[in-house]
PDB file of all heavy atoms in Angstrom:
ATOM      1  N   LYS A 355      54.652  96.558 126.722  1.00 89.00           N
ATOM      2  CA  LYS A 355      54.724  95.624 127.844  1.00 89.00           C
ATOM      3  C   LYS A 355      55.036  94.221 127.319  1.00 89.00           C
ATOM      4  O   LYS A 355      55.877  93.512 127.880  1.00 89.00           O
ATOM      5  CB  LYS A 355      53.389  95.638 128.607  1.00 89.00           C
ATOM      6  CG  LYS A 355      53.591  95.423 130.114  1.00 89.00           C
ATOM      7  CD  LYS A 355      52.282  95.128 130.805  1.00 89.00           C
ATOM      8  CE  LYS A 355      51.620  96.362 131.389  1.00 89.00           C
ATOM      9  NZ  LYS A 355      50.248  96.083 131.815  1.00 89.00           N
ATOM     10  N   ALA A 356      54.375  93.853 126.229  1.00 90.00           N
ATOM     11  CA  ALA A 356      54.628  92.535 125.624  1.00 90.00           C
ATOM     12  C   ALA A 356      56.087  92.416 125.218  1.00 90.00           C
ATOM     13  O   ALA A 356      56.714  91.378 125.406  1.00 90.00           O
ATOM     14  CB  ALA A 356      53.721  92.339 124.417  1.00 90.00           C
ATOM     15  N   ALA A 357      56.633  93.514 124.680  1.00 91.00           N
ATOM     16  CA  ALA A 357      58.040  93.497 124.255  1.00 91.00           C
ATOM     17  C   ALA A 357      58.955  93.271 125.448  1.00 91.00           C
ATOM     18  O   ALA A 357      59.914  92.503 125.376  1.00 91.00           O
ATOM     19  CB  ALA A 357      58.379  94.804 123.553  1.00 91.00           C
ATOM     20  N   ARG A 358      58.644  93.973 126.566  1.00 91.00           N
ATOM     21  CA  ARG A 358      59.492  93.788 127.755  1.00 91.00           C
ATOM     22  C   ARG A 358      59.441  92.347 128.241  1.00 91.00           C
ATOM     23  O   ARG A 358      60.457  91.767 128.619  1.00 91.00           O
ATOM     24  CB  ARG A 358      59.060  94.762 128.861  1.00 91.00           C
ATOM     25  CG  ARG A 358      59.730  96.125 128.739  1.00 91.00           C
ATOM     26  CD  ARG A 358      59.593  96.927 130.003  1.00 91.00           C
ATOM     27  NE  ARG A 358      58.206  97.302 130.256  1.00 91.00           N
ATOM     28  CZ  ARG A 358      57.635  98.397 129.731  1.00 91.00           C
ATOM     29  NH1 ARG A 358      58.322  99.185 128.956  1.00 91.00           N
ATOM     30  NH2 ARG A 358      56.376  98.674 129.978  1.00 91.00           N
ATOM     31  N   ARG A 359      58.217  91.766 128.213  1.00 92.00           N
ATOM     32  CA  ARG A 359      58.092  90.360 128.637  1.00 92.00           C
ATOM     33  C   ARG A 359      58.890  89.457 127.686  1.00 92.00           C
ATOM     34  O   ARG A 359      59.576  88.534 128.119  1.00 92.00           O
ATOM     35  CB  ARG A 359      56.619  89.935 128.657  1.00 92.00           C
ATOM     36  CG  ARG A 359      55.904  90.299 129.955  1.00 92.00           C
ATOM     37  CD  ARG A 359      54.646  89.463 130.101  1.00 92.00           C
ATOM     38  NE  ARG A 359      53.753  89.592 128.947  1.00 92.00           N
ATOM     39  CZ  ARG A 359      52.800  90.525 128.836  1.00 92.00           C
ATOM     40  NH1 ARG A 359      52.613  91.399 129.800  1.00 92.00           N
ATOM     41  NH2 ARG A 359      52.036  90.589 127.758  1.00 92.00           N
ATOM     42  N   ALA A 360      58.813  89.765 126.391  1.00 92.00           N
ATOM     43  CA  ALA A 360      59.540  88.949 125.406  1.00 92.00           C
ATOM     44  C   ALA A 360      61.044  89.018 125.659  1.00 92.00           C
ATOM     45  O   ALA A 360      61.751  88.017 125.540  1.00 92.00           O
ATOM     46  CB  ALA A 360      59.223  89.428 123.995  1.00 92.00           C
ATOM     47  N   ILE A 361      61.519  90.226 126.041  1.00 92.00           N
ATOM     48  CA  ILE A 361      62.965  90.365 126.311  1.00 92.00           C
ATOM     49  C   ILE A 361      63.377  89.471 127.465  1.00 92.00           C
ATOM     50  O   ILE A 361      64.418  88.797 127.412  1.00 92.00           O
ATOM     51  CB  ILE A 361      63.309  91.842 126.620  1.00 92.00           C
ATOM     52  CG1 ILE A 361      63.141  92.680 125.361  1.00 92.00           C
ATOM     53  CG2 ILE A 361      64.738  91.964 127.131  1.00 92.00           C
ATOM     54  CD1 ILE A 361      63.351  94.148 125.577  1.00 92.00           C
ATOM     55  N   VAL A 362      62.522  89.421 128.502  1.00 93.00           N
ATOM     56  CA  VAL A 362      62.839  88.560 129.648  1.00 93.00           C
ATOM     57  C   VAL A 362      62.942  87.108 129.192  1.00 93.00           C
ATOM     58  O   VAL A 362      63.890  86.394 129.550  1.00 93.00           O
ATOM     59  CB  VAL A 362      61.769  88.722 130.747  1.00 93.00           C
ATOM     60  CG1 VAL A 362      62.019  87.736 131.877  1.00 93.00           C
ATOM     61  CG2 VAL A 362      61.776  90.141 131.276  1.00 93.00           C
ATOM     62  N   THR A 363      61.963  86.678 128.361  1.00 92.00           N
ATOM     63  CA  THR A 363      61.981  85.302 127.849  1.00 92.00           C
ATOM     64  C   THR A 363      63.264  85.040 127.061  1.00 92.00           C
ATOM     65  O   THR A 363      63.949  84.038 127.275  1.00 92.00           O
ATOM     66  CB  THR A 363      60.780  85.068 126.910  1.00 92.00           C
ATOM     67  OG1 THR A 363      59.636  85.637 127.527  1.00 92.00           O
ATOM     68  CG2 THR A 363      60.574  83.594 126.653  1.00 92.00           C
ATOM     69  N   ILE A 364      63.583  85.980 126.155  1.00 91.00           N
ATOM     70  CA  ILE A 364      64.772  85.789 125.316  1.00 91.00           C
ATOM     71  C   ILE A 364      66.025  85.750 126.180  1.00 91.00           C
ATOM     72  O   ILE A 364      66.894  84.897 126.001  1.00 91.00           O
ATOM     73  CB  ILE A 364      64.869  86.907 124.267  1.00 91.00           C
ATOM     74  CG1 ILE A 364      63.742  86.776 123.255  1.00 91.00           C
ATOM     75  CG2 ILE A 364      66.218  86.859 123.551  1.00 91.00           C
ATOM     76  CD1 ILE A 364      63.727  87.860 122.206  1.00 91.00           C
ATOM     77  N   ASP A 365      66.100  86.675 127.159  1.00 90.00           N
ATOM     78  CA  ASP A 365      67.294  86.721 128.011  1.00 90.00           C
ATOM     79  C   ASP A 365      67.490  85.401 128.744  1.00 90.00           C
ATOM     80  O   ASP A 365      68.624  84.939 128.899  1.00 90.00           O
ATOM     81  CB  ASP A 365      67.181  87.865 129.023  1.00 90.00           C
ATOM     82  CG  ASP A 365      67.584  89.189 128.410  1.00 90.00           C
ATOM     83  OD1 ASP A 365      68.119  89.150 127.288  1.00 90.00           O
ATOM     84  OD2 ASP A 365      67.360  90.234 129.032  1.00 90.00           O
ATOM     85  N   ARG A 366      66.359  84.819 129.209  1.00 91.00           N
ATOM     86  CA  ARG A 366      66.479  83.557 129.925  1.00 91.00           C
ATOM     87  C   ARG A 366      67.077  82.493 128.989  1.00 91.00           C
ATOM     88  O   ARG A 366      67.983  81.758 129.350  1.00 91.00           O
ATOM     89  CB  ARG A 366      65.097  83.115 130.434  1.00 91.00           C
ATOM     90  CG  ARG A 366      65.207  82.144 131.603  1.00 91.00           C
ATOM     91  CD  ARG A 366      63.832  81.738 132.095  1.00 91.00           C
ATOM     92  NE  ARG A 366      62.981  82.866 132.443  1.00 91.00           N
ATOM     93  CZ  ARG A 366      61.683  82.956 132.089  1.00 91.00           C
ATOM     94  NH1 ARG A 366      61.123  82.004 131.360  1.00 91.00           N
ATOM     95  NH2 ARG A 366      60.967  83.989 132.455  1.00 91.00           N
ATOM     96  N   ARG A 367      66.571  82.470 127.764  1.00 90.00           N
ATOM     97  CA  ARG A 367      67.071  81.495 126.799  1.00 90.00           C
ATOM     98  C   ARG A 367      68.553  81.749 126.493  1.00 90.00           C
ATOM     99  O   ARG A 367      69.360  80.835 126.444  1.00 90.00           O
ATOM    100  CB  ARG A 367      66.238  81.586 125.514  1.00 90.00           C
ATOM    101  CG  ARG A 367      65.917  80.210 124.933  1.00 90.00           C
ATOM    102  CD  ARG A 367      65.053  80.350 123.704  1.00 90.00           C
ATOM    103  NE  ARG A 367      63.880  81.202 123.904  1.00 90.00           N
ATOM    104  CZ  ARG A 367      63.263  81.862 122.920  1.00 90.00           C
ATOM    105  NH1 ARG A 367      63.707  81.791 121.692  1.00 90.00           N
ATOM    106  NH2 ARG A 367      62.203  82.603 123.164  1.00 90.00           N
ATOM    107  N   ILE A 368      68.891  83.042 126.299  1.00 88.00           N
ATOM    108  CA  ILE A 368      70.282  83.377 125.971  1.00 88.00           C
ATOM    109  C   ILE A 368      71.215  82.953 127.105  1.00 88.00           C
ATOM    110  O   ILE A 368      72.301  82.424 126.865  1.00 88.00           O
ATOM    111  CB  ILE A 368      70.420  84.897 125.701  1.00 88.00           C
ATOM    112  CG1 ILE A 368      69.774  85.248 124.369  1.00 88.00           C
ATOM    113  CG2 ILE A 368      71.888  85.311 125.702  1.00 88.00           C
ATOM    114  CD1 ILE A 368      69.833  86.708 124.030  1.00 88.00           C
ATOM    115  N   ARG A 369      70.747  83.169 128.373  1.00 88.00           N
ATOM    116  CA  ARG A 369      71.607  82.792 129.505  1.00 88.00           C
ATOM    117  C   ARG A 369      71.924  81.305 129.476  1.00 88.00           C
ATOM    118  O   ARG A 369      73.049  80.886 129.725  1.00 88.00           O
ATOM    119  CB  ARG A 369      70.938  83.166 130.822  1.00 88.00           C
ATOM    120  CG  ARG A 369      71.525  84.436 131.435  1.00 88.00           C
ATOM    121  CD  ARG A 369      71.216  84.538 132.901  1.00 88.00           C
ATOM    122  NE  ARG A 369      69.798  84.544 133.167  1.00 88.00           N
ATOM    123  CZ  ARG A 369      69.005  85.612 133.049  1.00 88.00           C
ATOM    124  NH1 ARG A 369      69.514  86.756 132.660  1.00 88.00           N
ATOM    125  NH2 ARG A 369      67.728  85.545 133.319  1.00 88.00           N
ATOM    126  N   LEU A 370      70.903  80.492 129.158  1.00 90.00           N
ATOM    127  CA  LEU A 370      71.122  79.044 129.101  1.00 90.00           C
ATOM    128  C   LEU A 370      72.143  78.684 128.033  1.00 90.00           C
ATOM    129  O   LEU A 370      73.098  77.948 128.271  1.00 90.00           O
ATOM    130  CB  LEU A 370      69.798  78.341 128.793  1.00 90.00           C
ATOM    131  CG  LEU A 370      68.994  77.909 130.017  1.00 90.00           C
ATOM    132  CD1 LEU A 370      67.714  77.212 129.590  1.00 90.00           C
ATOM    133  CD2 LEU A 370      69.834  76.990 130.899  1.00 90.00           C
ATOM    134  N   TRP A 371      71.909  79.232 126.827  1.00 90.00           N
ATOM    135  CA  TRP A 371      72.843  78.954 125.731  1.00 90.00           C
ATOM    136  C   TRP A 371      74.236  79.457 126.065  1.00 90.00           C
ATOM    137  O   TRP A 371      75.233  78.856 125.674  1.00 90.00           O
ATOM    138  CB  TRP A 371      72.364  79.605 124.430  1.00 90.00           C
ATOM    139  CG  TRP A 371      71.285  78.828 123.757  1.00 90.00           C
ATOM    140  CD1 TRP A 371      69.997  79.228 123.559  1.00 90.00           C
ATOM    141  CD2 TRP A 371      71.373  77.518 123.185  1.00 90.00           C
ATOM    142  NE1 TRP A 371      69.292  78.252 122.919  1.00 90.00           N
ATOM    143  CE2 TRP A 371      70.116  77.190 122.667  1.00 90.00           C
ATOM    144  CE3 TRP A 371      72.408  76.590 123.070  1.00 90.00           C
ATOM    145  CZ2 TRP A 371      69.842  75.991 122.037  1.00 90.00           C
ATOM    146  CZ3 TRP A 371      72.136  75.379 122.444  1.00 90.00           C
ATOM    147  CH2 TRP A 371      70.870  75.093 121.939  1.00 90.00           C
ATOM    148  N   ASN A 372      74.285  80.592 126.806  1.00 89.00           N
ATOM    149  CA  ASN A 372      75.581  81.165 127.149  1.00 89.00           C
ATOM    150  C   ASN A 372      76.438  80.198 127.942  1.00 89.00           C
ATOM    151  O   ASN A 372      77.654  80.178 127.782  1.00 89.00           O
ATOM    152  CB  ASN A 372      75.391  82.450 127.963  1.00 89.00           C
ATOM    153  CG  ASN A 372      75.646  83.659 127.101  1.00 89.00           C
ATOM    154  OD1 ASN A 372      76.018  83.504 125.938  1.00 89.00           O
ATOM    155  ND2 ASN A 372      75.442  84.834 127.637  1.00 89.00           N
ATOM    156  N   LEU A 373      75.783  79.431 128.808  1.00 91.00           N
ATOM    157  CA  LEU A 373      76.529  78.423 129.569  1.00 91.00           C
ATOM    158  C   LEU A 373      77.242  77.481 128.606  1.00 91.00           C
ATOM    159  O   LEU A 373      78.443  77.237 128.734  1.00 91.00           O
ATOM    160  CB  LEU A 373      75.573  77.627 130.461  1.00 91.00           C
ATOM    161  CG  LEU A 373      75.261  78.253 131.817  1.00 91.00           C
ATOM    162  CD1 LEU A 373      74.315  77.352 132.595  1.00 91.00           C
ATOM    163  CD2 LEU A 373      76.560  78.466 132.590  1.00 91.00           C
ATOM    164  N   GLY A 374      76.482  76.979 127.636  1.00 92.00           N
ATOM    165  CA  GLY A 374      77.070  76.091 126.635  1.00 92.00           C
ATOM    166  C   GLY A 374      78.179  76.789 125.871  1.00 92.00           C
ATOM    167  O   GLY A 374      79.236  76.213 125.601  1.00 92.00           O
ATOM    168  N   GLN A 375      77.938  78.081 125.561  1.00 92.00           N
ATOM    169  CA  GLN A 375      78.929  78.841 124.813  1.00 92.00           C
ATOM    170  C   GLN A 375      80.233  78.972 125.612  1.00 92.00           C
ATOM    171  O   GLN A 375      81.319  78.812 125.073  1.00 92.00           O
ATOM    172  CB  GLN A 375      78.358  80.235 124.502  1.00 92.00           C
ATOM    173  CG  GLN A 375      79.188  81.052 123.556  1.00 92.00           C
ATOM    174  CD  GLN A 375      79.045  80.596 122.106  1.00 92.00           C
ATOM    175  OE1 GLN A 375      77.962  80.645 121.531  1.00 92.00           O
ATOM    176  NE2 GLN A 375      80.126  80.125 121.537  1.00 92.00           N
ATOM    177  N   GLN A 376      80.106  79.227 126.911  1.00 92.00           N
ATOM    178  CA  GLN A 376      81.308  79.331 127.752  1.00 92.00           C
ATOM    179  C   GLN A 376      82.078  78.023 127.746  1.00 92.00           C
ATOM    180  O   GLN A 376      83.309  78.014 127.712  1.00 92.00           O
ATOM    181  CB  GLN A 376      80.938  79.693 129.199  1.00 92.00           C
ATOM    182  CG  GLN A 376      80.341  81.073 129.392  1.00 92.00           C
ATOM    183  CD  GLN A 376      81.246  82.175 128.912  1.00 92.00           C
ATOM    184  OE1 GLN A 376      82.458  81.990 128.821  1.00 92.00           O
ATOM    185  NE2 GLN A 376      80.679  83.303 128.551  1.00 92.00           N
ATOM    186  N   VAL A 377      81.331  76.907 127.796  1.00 94.00           N
ATOM    187  CA  VAL A 377      82.005  75.605 127.780  1.00 94.00           C
ATOM    188  C   VAL A 377      82.754  75.433 126.462  1.00 94.00           C
ATOM    189  O   VAL A 377      83.906  74.990 126.428  1.00 94.00           O
ATOM    190  CB  VAL A 377      80.986  74.464 127.991  1.00 94.00           C
ATOM    191  CG1 VAL A 377      81.667  73.114 127.795  1.00 94.00           C
ATOM    192  CG2 VAL A 377      80.380  74.558 129.372  1.00 94.00           C
ATOM    193  N   PHE A 378      82.116  75.849 125.364  1.00 94.00           N
ATOM    194  CA  PHE A 378      82.806  75.751 124.066  1.00 94.00           C
ATOM    195  C   PHE A 378      84.076  76.584 124.075  1.00 94.00           C
ATOM    196  O   PHE A 378      85.141  76.115 123.664  1.00 94.00           O
ATOM    197  CB  PHE A 378      81.884  76.209 122.928  1.00 94.00           C
ATOM    198  CG  PHE A 378      82.597  76.314 121.604  1.00 94.00           C
ATOM    199  CD1 PHE A 378      82.912  75.182 120.867  1.00 94.00           C
ATOM    200  CD2 PHE A 378      82.980  77.553 121.108  1.00 94.00           C
ATOM    201  CE1 PHE A 378      83.585  75.280 119.669  1.00 94.00           C
ATOM    202  CE2 PHE A 378      83.661  77.666 119.906  1.00 94.00           C
ATOM    203  CZ  PHE A 378      83.960  76.520 119.185  1.00 94.00           C
ATOM    204  N   TYR A 379      83.970  77.849 124.551  1.00 94.00           N
ATOM    205  CA  TYR A 379      85.159  78.707 124.618  1.00 94.00           C
ATOM    206  C   TYR A 379      86.248  78.033 125.448  1.00 94.00           C
ATOM    207  O   TYR A 379      87.424  78.040 125.088  1.00 94.00           O
ATOM    208  CB  TYR A 379      84.820  80.063 125.235  1.00 94.00           C
ATOM    209  CG  TYR A 379      83.936  80.932 124.396  1.00 94.00           C
ATOM    210  CD1 TYR A 379      83.146  81.929 124.967  1.00 94.00           C
ATOM    211  CD2 TYR A 379      83.884  80.773 123.016  1.00 94.00           C
ATOM    212  CE1 TYR A 379      82.332  82.734 124.197  1.00 94.00           C
ATOM    213  CE2 TYR A 379      83.073  81.573 122.244  1.00 94.00           C
ATOM    214  CZ  TYR A 379      82.295  82.559 122.833  1.00 94.00           C
ATOM    215  OH  TYR A 379      81.497  83.351 122.072  1.00 94.00           O
TER     216      TYR A 379
END
Side-chain angles (χ1 to χ4, degrees):
Chain A
K355 214 193 266 169
R358 274 195 293 274
R359 275 199 305 271
I361 291 176
V362 175
T363 316
I364 292 178
D365 278 350
R366 202 179 305 136
R367 221 178 310 154
I368 288 179
R369 257 199 301 280
L370 268 181
W371 281 115
N372 256 357
L373 275 181
Q375 189 76 62
Q376 294 302 337
V377 173
F378 172 76
Y379 292 156

